[in-house]
Amino acid sequence: MSLWGRAFARFYDRALRPSEEHGLGDMRHRLLAGASGETLEIGAGTGHNLEHYPETIGALTLCEPEEPMAHLLRPRAVPYGARVLVAPAEAIPVPDHSIDTVVSTLVLCTVDDPVAALAEIRRVLVPGGRLLFLEHVRSTDPALARSQDRWDPVWKRIGHGCRCNRATLATVEASGLRVESVEDTRIPKATSIVRPA
């Protein structure tokens, strides 16, 4: 467990607060209105999504690979009856075809192997199950994309593994999951290299 990992977990909520208060929380709420049945969230962090899940979902499982984040997440998960598993998205410890909805918000930028993570998501989803995702992506603006490329090595260290230039939508589309709808938007109050969503 790295010193920066512990510090990052403590700093994370404060860093996201401006975005959450200026629209990111509303984006989470709209996205998670589509969750139903047995629900699994990957990279649950400190629990920003918890208050946005509809009461109609079934059991909620939260996977978080970083113990410092999971330490903060556990007490927050208790009022929602959610269980917390310390596990990466590339190795989700749940049975095949057992999850109705998988949720990923601002996570696929940080996983070591997004292709493997999406394969795991396909494995755990029931036939007809859904992946709901809200991710920042590589910009379609060539100038901003070049800026993302320049900043990526530094941002990866600052953001504890976050890759600001990942073409996440293309990776999802290539995974075998059928993309039903996409909304291009901006993460409010975020630095420009992680604003396109």
Side-chain angles (χ1 to χ4, degrees):
M1 186 183 316
S2 72
L3 179 61
W4 178 236
R6 291 194 295 271
F8 184 82
R10 293 289 177 186
F11 173 71
Y12 186 72
D13 288 344
R14 193 177 322 151
L16 275 186
R17 187 173 298 126
S19 292
E20 295 289 342
E21 292 175 350
H22 287 86
L24 180 56
D26 293 334
M27 293 164 70
R28 293 178 190 276
H29 196 79
R30 288 193 305 273
L31 177 75
L32 296 179
S36 62
E38 301 293 301
T39 301
L40 169 78
E41 182 178 341
I42 61 168
T46 60
H48 283 270
N49 286 332
L50 282 167
E51 65 181 291
H52 301 292
Y53 281 105
E55 294 180 1
T56 53
I57 64 168
L60 176 60
T61 300
L62 308 171
C63 283
E64 171 49 50
E66 298 286 330
E67 178 54 41
M69 290 283 203
H71 178 74
L72 298 173
L73 177 62
R74 287 185 191 99
R76 296 175 185 183
V78 170
Y80 298 90
R83 69 174 176 153
V84 176
L85 303 176
V86 178
E90 298 94 332
I92 302 170
V94 302
D96 295 359
H97 314 303
S98 61
I99 301 295
D100 298 294
T101 305
V102 173
V103 172
S104 173
T105 60
L106 308 180
V107 172
L108 292 174
C109 60
T110 63
V111 297
D112 290 335
D113 187 343
V115 172
L118 288 161
E120 273 291 87
I121 289 168
R122 287 187 66 195
R123 177 186 68 79
V124 303
L125 279 172
V126 299
R130 302 179 75 198
L131 166 63
L132 303 177
F133 63 95
L134 189 164
E135 302 286 348
H136 70 79
V137 296
R138 182 177 180 81
S139 178
T140 56
D141 177 317
L144 181 50
R146 286 192 298 273
S147 181
Q148 289 175 314
D149 291 340
R150 284 193 303 273
W151 276 99
D152 185 62
V154 174
W155 189 256
K156 182 180 177 185
R157 296 178 74 84
I158 294 170
H160 201 50
C162 175
R163 305 300 300 265
C164 64
N165 63 349
R166 230 176 222 172
T168 298
L169 179 58
T171 306
V172 172
E173 290 172 332
S175 72
L177 293 165
R178 182 168 56 90
V179 177
E180 292 181 353
S181 64
V182 173
E183 178 184 342
D184 292 323
T185 188
R186 297 286 180 264
I187 297 174
K189 300 291 183 181
T191 186
S192 62
I193 59 172
V194 291
R195 193 173 299 148

